[in-house]
Amino acid sequence: MGNSKKLSVDLKERSYEIIVGKDLIKTAGQKIKQNISGKDIIIVSDRNVAKYYLTELRNSCENAKLSCEEIILPSGENTKSFNQLNLLVERLLSMGISRTTTLIALGGGVVGDITGFAASILLRGIDFVQIPTTLLAQVDSSVGGKTGINSSHGKNLIGAFYQPKLVIADVSTLDTLPKRQILAGYSEIVKYGLINNLTFFKWLEKNGKEVCSGNKQSQIKAIVESCKMKSEFVSEDELENSKRTLLNLGHTFGHAIEAHTGFSNKVLHGEAVSIGLSLAFELSAKLGLCSVSEVERIQTHFKLIGLPFKLSQLLDKSCGPDNLIEFMKNDKKNKNGKLTLILARGIGKAFVTNKINYSDVKPLISSSLK
Ligand code: NAD
Ligand code: GLY
């Protein structure tokens, strides 16, 4: 893992390394072996990813003298369901797993979230490793231990905090990722700049196009910076009682959009997030917390990259503000029936508030739907 960059998530005895670089899957076996307790691994992947990377990973694990089996899930957001979780855990149990079996999640956020959740509940907890293969998973979902599935009531409502033993982000895998998915992942990168890092946002304004067009050095820099910020937040507030809540900037709106569209391909998670980020800043400007020019600056960047920033770009006329507000009411972050939102006093100055009413949000949603 020669020229790769290494970071760590500091959680005492549950700390782990994040490795970011090129061509890492080829040699991942040795690294996995050093970080897990047993020698039996089961790779969980989805059809699209397995086609490209399963054999490479399997060979690398077998070269490291790990005993290796695999399970291939259907791809797409609908896989994060109780039905698929049931099939997955029953299949794993029928394979005769023990507490020294390790699951390897090879794929995007969907595979990572459901595999991590399965690891958290099987035999009261077995090891798992994340090998994220989407930009979104490399900058966000593979780090920090949020695992889970969706419910008809909303996004990620069933799950557990459960940390992996290791994260290996191989940027070479991004070469086969469709452009739409690259852009969706990029919106989570922008999120970090908007939360607390204006310097990073300025870097993205200059280099974002390169990140999205596949420049490896720019991708590694963007992933390392994002993971650095994420691991700081997670190390400080693993269970999201304070600072980690900021990582949900744009997500209350975003999750409502995804739930409204039935977790389908119509709107990808990252696309819902870019609209959500934009709405969070629009609301902040409306409340006089930040300037309209900052909202325009963010929207200009999304336009340049090719990401949506208005609800009307992805939702049709059948959606009214109340459709989204109903889902916002189910958001996990809400306390005592009060909406929890992340707003901003400017780019890089996000904060959490419980002082916003649904009536403040409704006109904003209405105008974004037009
Ligand atoms: P995804 O896992 O559905 O992957 C997107 C698509 O790309 C899928 O069709 C997949 O098969 C395909 N794919 C993946 N890697 C590929 C590759 N290298 N080459 C070709 N095709 C590839 O989606 P995602 O955007 O990675 O993840 C979205 C999920 O992540 C959502 O469910 C979201 O809630 C979750 N998420 C979780 C966290 C967390 O902290 N746990 C954070 C952010 C998002
Ligand atoms: N994606 C937000 C978090 O992990 O906290």
Side-chain angles (χ1 to χ4, degrees):
M1 307 223 149
N3 284 326
S4 54
K5 307 263 183 216
K6 292 191 179 120
L7 305 163
S8 68
V9 181
D10 298 321
L11 291 167
K12 302 208 172 91
E13 66 288 350
R14 288 173 301 107
S15 298
Y16 54 94
E17 228 176 39
I18 306 166
I19 308 172
V20 184
K22 283 200 289 184
D23 296 324
L24 300 182
I25 290 185
K26 286 191 182 107
T27 52
Q30 272 305 341
K31 197 71 205 174
I32 292 171
K33 194 173 177 185
Q34 289 159 13
N35 284 275
I36 62 176
S37 48
K39 287 206 168 85
D40 296 325
I41 63 163
I42 300 177
I43 302 170
V44 182
S45 192
D46 73 21
R47 287 198 194 103
N48 298 335
V49 180
K51 179 170 76 185
Y52 296 113
Y53 306 109
L54 182 61
T55 308
E56 201 177 36
L57 179 60
R58 196 186 168 112
N59 288 344
S60 157
C61 290
E62 284 171 354
N63 289 341
K65 306 266 176 299
L66 291 166
S67 145
C68 191
E69 290 187 82
E70 66 227 16
I71 294 180
I72 310 301
L73 304 174
S75 63
E77 189 66 36
N78 279 325
T79 295
K80 277 177 58 174
S81 66
F82 245 125
N83 183 32
Q84 286 296 331
L85 179 72
N86 183 29
L87 292 172
L88 176 61
V89 294
E90 288 296 336
R91 177 88 196 281
L92 286 161
L93 290 169
S94 74
M95 288 163 114
I97 56 164
S98 74
R99 281 194 169 148
T100 56
T101 303
T102 298
L103 304 186
I104 314 287
L106 172 70
V110 165
V111 167
D113 281 9
I114 190 172
T115 305
F117 189 34
S120 79
I121 54 177
L122 277 164
L123 312 181
R124 300 213 166 85
I126 60 173
D127 288 353
F128 88 111
V129 167
Q130 292 268 21
I131 307 193
T133 62
T134 61
L135 187 57
L136 182 138
Q138 295 183 351
V139 297
D140 192 354
S141 63
S142 64
V143 174
K146 278 190 184 173
T147 72
I149 56 173
N150 302 321
S151 145
S152 61
H153 295 279
K155 183 88 180 151
N156 297 334
L157 294 183
I158 303 150
F161 285 98
Y162 195 69
Q163 302 294 339
K165 291 287 168 194
L166 173 70
V167 178
I168 300 177
D170 183 343
V171 291
S172 308
T173 61
L174 301 178
D175 292 342
T176 54
L177 190 65
K179 187 68 188 252
R180 185 178 172 208
Q181 297 287 352
I182 294 272
L183 298 189
Y186 182 81
S187 71
E188 297 278 13
I189 298 179
V190 175
K191 177 188 79 178
Y192 293 107
L194 298 182
I195 291 173
N196 73 345
N197 197 335
L198 176 60
T199 311
F200 185 48
F201 182 74
K202 284 182 184 161
W203 184 86
L204 291 172
E205 286 181 309
K206 285 208 183 85
N207 299 282
K209 275 255 167 208
E210 296 277 292
V211 173
C212 295
S213 63
N215 178 299
K216 292 295 161 224
Q217 284 322 310
S218 306
Q219 287 183 335
I220 291 172
K221 156 103 180 158
I223 295 166
V224 168
E225 284 305 313
S226 302
C227 287
K228 220 186 261 173
M229 281 183 256
K230 178 138 190 191
S231 31
E232 274 170 29
F233 279 54
V234 171
S235 301
E236 218 177 285
D237 175 29
E238 181 185 11
L239 303 183
E240 198 171 286
N241 292 313
S242 54
K243 194 175 177 182
R244 186 171 180 169
T245 311
L246 292 170
L247 293 174
N248 293 291
L249 178 64
H251 282 60
T252 311
F253 296 108
H255 286 166
I257 300 168
E258 284 184 272
H260 172 72
T261 48
F263 306 116
S264 66
N265 240 3
K266 197 172 163 201
V267 180
L268 301 180
H269 175 73
E271 294 168 340
V273 167
S274 65
I275 296 176
L277 291 170
S278 185
L279 286 173
F281 272 79
E282 279 184 55
L283 184 57
S284 303
K286 262 185 121 182
L287 297 168
L289 294 164
C290 75
S291 67
V292 172
S293 66
E294 284 177 287
V295 178
E296 285 166 0
R297 185 172 171 185
I298 295 163
Q299 294 184 338
T300 301
H301 186 57
F302 284 146
K303 214 183 282 178
L304 173 85
I305 294 296
L307 276 164
F309 51 89
K310 272 193 78 162
L311 289 165
S312 59
Q313 289 174 279
L314 295 184
L315 299 183
D316 55 40
K317 296 264 177 282
S318 66
C319 177
D322 290 330
N323 297 102
L324 298 184
I325 286 174
E326 271 319 297
F327 285 111
M328 290 173 78
K329 288 184 178 163
N330 287 339
D331 193 274
K332 293 187 289 311
K333 299 182 296 304
N334 294 344
K335 289 190 181 123
N336 304 318
K338 284 287 289 172
L339 179 64
T340 299
L341 267 188
I342 295 92
L343 296 180
R345 296 190 178 89
I347 295 174
K349 294 180 188 161
F351 66 97
V352 183
T353 177
N354 292 101
K355 295 200 174 119
I356 306 299
N357 297 314
Y358 292 102
S359 54
D360 301 319
V361 172
K362 194 168 168 173
L364 174 83
I365 295 182
S366 295
S367 89
S368 186
L369 279 165
K370 283 193 190 127

Short mmCIF file of all heavy atoms in Angstrom, two decimals, residues 140 143-144 146 188 191 230 234 240 244 247-248 251, ligand 2:
data_model
loop_
_atom_site.label_atom_id
_atom_site.label_comp_id
_atom_site.label_asym_id
_atom_site.label_seq_id
_atom_site.Cartn_x
_atom_site.Cartn_y
_atom_site.Cartn_z
N ASP A 140 -17.78 9.38 2.80
CA ASP A 140 -18.77 9.54 3.85
C ASP A 140 -19.21 8.22 4.48
O ASP A 140 -18.84 7.88 5.60
CB ASP A 140 -19.99 10.30 3.28
CG ASP A 140 -20.97 10.76 4.35
OD1 ASP A 140 -20.77 10.41 5.53
OD2 ASP A 140 -21.93 11.49 4.03
N VAL A 143 -17.12 5.55 6.61
CA VAL A 143 -16.42 6.02 7.82
C VAL A 143 -17.44 6.43 8.87
O VAL A 143 -18.42 7.11 8.55
CB VAL A 143 -15.54 7.25 7.46
CG1 VAL A 143 -14.90 7.86 8.70
CG2 VAL A 143 -14.48 6.86 6.45
N GLY A 144 -17.24 6.02 10.09
CA GLY A 144 -18.07 6.57 11.18
C GLY A 144 -19.07 5.63 11.78
O GLY A 144 -19.71 5.95 12.79
N LYS A 146 -22.11 4.45 10.98
CA LYS A 146 -23.58 4.46 10.88
C LYS A 146 -23.97 3.34 9.93
O LYS A 146 -23.55 3.34 8.76
CB LYS A 146 -24.09 5.79 10.34
CG LYS A 146 -24.20 6.87 11.38
CD LYS A 146 -24.95 8.06 10.80
CE LYS A 146 -25.00 9.20 11.80
NZ LYS A 146 -25.58 10.42 11.21
N GLU A 188 -21.54 15.25 -1.28
CA GLU A 188 -21.15 15.04 0.13
C GLU A 188 -19.78 15.70 0.41
O GLU A 188 -19.50 16.10 1.53
CB GLU A 188 -21.10 13.55 0.48
CG GLU A 188 -22.44 12.81 0.37
CD GLU A 188 -23.36 12.97 1.60
OE1 GLU A 188 -23.09 13.84 2.45
OE2 GLU A 188 -24.36 12.23 1.68
N LYS A 191 -20.42 19.27 1.02
CA LYS A 191 -21.00 19.42 2.36
C LYS A 191 -19.93 19.75 3.42
O LYS A 191 -20.14 20.63 4.25
CB LYS A 191 -21.73 18.11 2.73
CG LYS A 191 -22.32 18.08 4.11
CD LYS A 191 -22.86 16.70 4.48
CE LYS A 191 -21.76 15.75 4.92
NZ LYS A 191 -22.26 14.42 5.33
N LYS A 230 -14.44 14.10 8.62
CA LYS A 230 -15.43 13.17 9.17
C LYS A 230 -14.85 12.46 10.39
O LYS A 230 -15.53 12.31 11.41
CB LYS A 230 -15.89 12.16 8.11
CG LYS A 230 -16.88 11.18 8.70
CD LYS A 230 -18.04 10.85 7.83
CE LYS A 230 -19.06 10.04 8.61
NZ LYS A 230 -20.11 9.47 7.83
N VAL A 234 -16.38 12.27 14.18
CA VAL A 234 -16.79 10.97 14.75
C VAL A 234 -15.98 10.68 16.01
O VAL A 234 -16.53 10.19 17.01
CB VAL A 234 -16.62 9.85 13.69
CG1 VAL A 234 -16.82 8.48 14.30
CG2 VAL A 234 -17.60 10.06 12.54
N GLU A 240 -23.44 10.94 17.88
CA GLU A 240 -24.21 12.09 17.38
C GLU A 240 -25.06 12.76 18.45
O GLU A 240 -26.25 12.97 18.30
CB GLU A 240 -25.10 11.65 16.20
CG GLU A 240 -25.58 12.82 15.36
CD GLU A 240 -26.28 12.37 14.07
OE1 GLU A 240 -25.58 11.94 13.15
OE2 GLU A 240 -27.51 12.46 14.02
N ARG A 244 -21.40 15.88 15.78
CA ARG A 244 -21.62 15.04 14.59
C ARG A 244 -22.91 15.39 13.86
O ARG A 244 -23.04 15.15 12.66
CB ARG A 244 -21.61 13.55 14.99
CG ARG A 244 -21.69 12.64 13.78
CD ARG A 244 -21.47 11.18 14.09
NE ARG A 244 -21.56 10.39 12.87
CZ ARG A 244 -21.22 9.12 12.76
NH1 ARG A 244 -20.76 8.48 13.82
NH2 ARG A 244 -21.35 8.49 11.61
N LEU A 247 -22.92 16.98 10.47
CA LEU A 247 -22.69 16.21 9.23
C LEU A 247 -24.00 15.95 8.48
O LEU A 247 -24.00 15.45 7.37
CB LEU A 247 -22.01 14.87 9.54
CG LEU A 247 -20.57 14.95 10.05
CD1 LEU A 247 -20.06 13.56 10.44
CD2 LEU A 247 -19.65 15.54 8.98
N ASN A 248 -25.11 16.27 9.13
CA ASN A 248 -26.41 16.10 8.47
C ASN A 248 -26.87 17.35 7.73
O ASN A 248 -28.03 17.43 7.31
CB ASN A 248 -27.47 15.73 9.51
CG ASN A 248 -27.21 14.36 10.10
OD1 ASN A 248 -27.35 13.37 9.40
ND2 ASN A 248 -26.80 14.32 11.35
N HIS A 251 -29.37 17.15 4.94
CA HIS A 251 -29.93 15.80 4.90
C HIS A 251 -31.39 15.71 5.33
O HIS A 251 -32.07 14.76 4.95
CB HIS A 251 -29.07 14.84 5.72
CG HIS A 251 -27.82 14.42 5.00
ND1 HIS A 251 -26.87 15.32 4.57
CD2 HIS A 251 -27.38 13.20 4.58
CE1 HIS A 251 -25.90 14.67 3.96
NE2 HIS A 251 -26.19 13.39 3.94
N1 GLY B 2 -23.41 10.92 7.12
C1 GLY B 2 -23.52 11.56 8.38
C2 GLY B 2 -22.82 10.86 9.48
O1 GLY B 2 -22.19 9.86 9.27
O2 GLY B 2 -22.88 11.27 10.61
#
